[in-house]
Amino acid sequence: MTSTAAVPPPRATYRRLSVEERRAQLLLAALGLFAHRAPDEVSLDEVAVAAGVSRPLVYRYFPGGRQQLYEAALGSAADELTQCFTEPPVGPPTERVARVLDRYLRFVDEHDTGFSALLRGGSVVETSRTTTIVDGVRRAAADEILRHLGRMGGEQPAGPRLRMMVRSWIAAVEAASLIWLDDGKRPAASELRGWLVDHLIALLTATAATDPETEAVVKDLLALETSGGPAGQLAERVIPIVADAAHLLPAATASD
């Protein structure tokens, strides 16, 4: 019987990563850890292991240590979170906002612990720079919502009442997201998304009652909505309830 020498398996092709590729690799590993643990609980050794590199290499790219790495990872996550609010101006506005919230809640779900630590400011690595990054996301999110309301840039920038209302809604979305995580991600994300869209419509309606600009925005938006969309479904549920409030109207108005 003729013996055949064992053929060694082919070697994996090694490709040296560029500086940007290596940095992206380290940030991805760090984000994976920060997504599920508070930032101050993650060590550089763990980041190195997750990235499959040595600890000195992590320091070579982030000589400021965990603080610098966290801020860079936070900036990367902030960019991703900001993108959640970017939506083409196609279709009824409330349906666009629903798609935005679907992406936002998916991000919250995938980065649950890190998201909580970030927004609650409970991390020992929080600084004015990290706060600025988070505030930048909030402002960018508000700008995108105002864009869907037809009041961002151009000849019709948003006035103070409308801008305050939208930023208040963004804060409510954050708070609801944190409560959702505390409650074990209940109710279902789709139900939470629907409630948050309803919340925006309700805030717009209440603000329109005393602010002419918001009133004009609401009238323009309603012309774009459909009976089967979020605004139409909310109107179907709310109008019967509001009808029971007729006794609250002035007598002259109620008798008309």
Side-chain angles (χ1 to χ4, degrees):
M1 185 178 211
T2 306
S3 62
T4 304
V7 179
R11 285 186 179 180
T13 303
Y14 176 78
R15 184 175 72 85
R16 189 180 186 85
L17 298 180
S18 68
V19 172
E20 286 304 313
E21 288 175 327
R22 180 66 74 186
R23 188 173 188 277
Q25 177 198 26
L26 295 175
L27 286 178
L28 184 63
L31 279 173
L33 294 170
F34 291 141
H36 301 293
R37 292 167 58 193
D40 49 302
E41 295 177 357
V42 176
S43 70
L44 288 186
D45 285 334
E46 290 175 297
V47 174
V49 170
V53 300
S54 65
R55 191 173 192 271
L57 183 63
V58 179
Y59 265 110
R60 184 187 308 170
Y61 281 83
F62 299 97
R66 181 175 61 186
Q67 180 65 40
Q68 183 185 8
L69 178 59
Y70 172 63
E71 290 178 8
L74 178 58
S76 177
D79 290 341
E80 184 180 345
L81 188 53
T82 300
Q83 288 301 314
C84 291
F85 286 88
T86 303
E87 176 71 21
V90 178
T94 57
E95 293 182 19
R96 294 181 225 156
V97 173
R99 291 192 290 270
V100 163
L101 288 171
D102 279 337
R103 288 193 295 271
Y104 175 85
L105 292 173
R106 192 177 307 121
F107 181 94
V108 173
D109 183 28
E110 293 172 355
H111 301 79
D112 43 17
T113 304
F115 181 87
S116 295
L118 168 64
L119 291 187
R120 287 194 170 103
S123 172
V124 297
V125 294
E126 182 188 21
T127 66
S128 60
R129 289 189 297 274
T130 61
T131 300
T132 298
I133 292 172
V134 176
D135 284 344
V137 175
R138 292 169 178 150
R139 291 179 182 276
D143 286 347
E144 286 300 320
I145 296 301
L146 285 168
R147 199 181 311 279
H148 292 304
L149 300 179
R151 287 297 189 275
M152 187 60 202
E155 299 179 356
Q156 292 183 307
R161 289 283 300 280
L162 180 59
R163 179 172 287 278
M164 180 183 292
M165 187 229 79
V166 169
R167 293 195 65 184
S168 298
W169 180 74
I170 294 294
V173 170
E174 284 187 7
S177 300
L178 292 171
I179 295 170
W180 183 63
L181 292 177
D182 285 344
D183 289 348
K185 300 179 183 177
R186 295 187 302 270
S190 59
E191 185 177 341
L192 175 59
R193 177 254 294 151
W195 180 77
L196 289 172
V197 174
D198 289 348
H199 187 190
L200 177 61
I201 298 171
L203 281 174
L204 280 167
T205 304
T207 307
T210 56
D211 181 49
E213 179 198 9
T214 307
E215 180 184 4
V217 167
V218 170
K219 287 180 177 179
D220 290 342
L221 294 180
L222 288 177
L224 300 174
E225 295 294 327
T226 64
S227 60
Q233 293 176 11
L234 181 61
E236 184 180 3
R237 296 194 303 270
V238 168
I239 288 175
I241 298 173
V242 176
D244 291 336
H247 65 286
L248 299 176
L249 298 175
T253 304
S255 62
D256 288 345

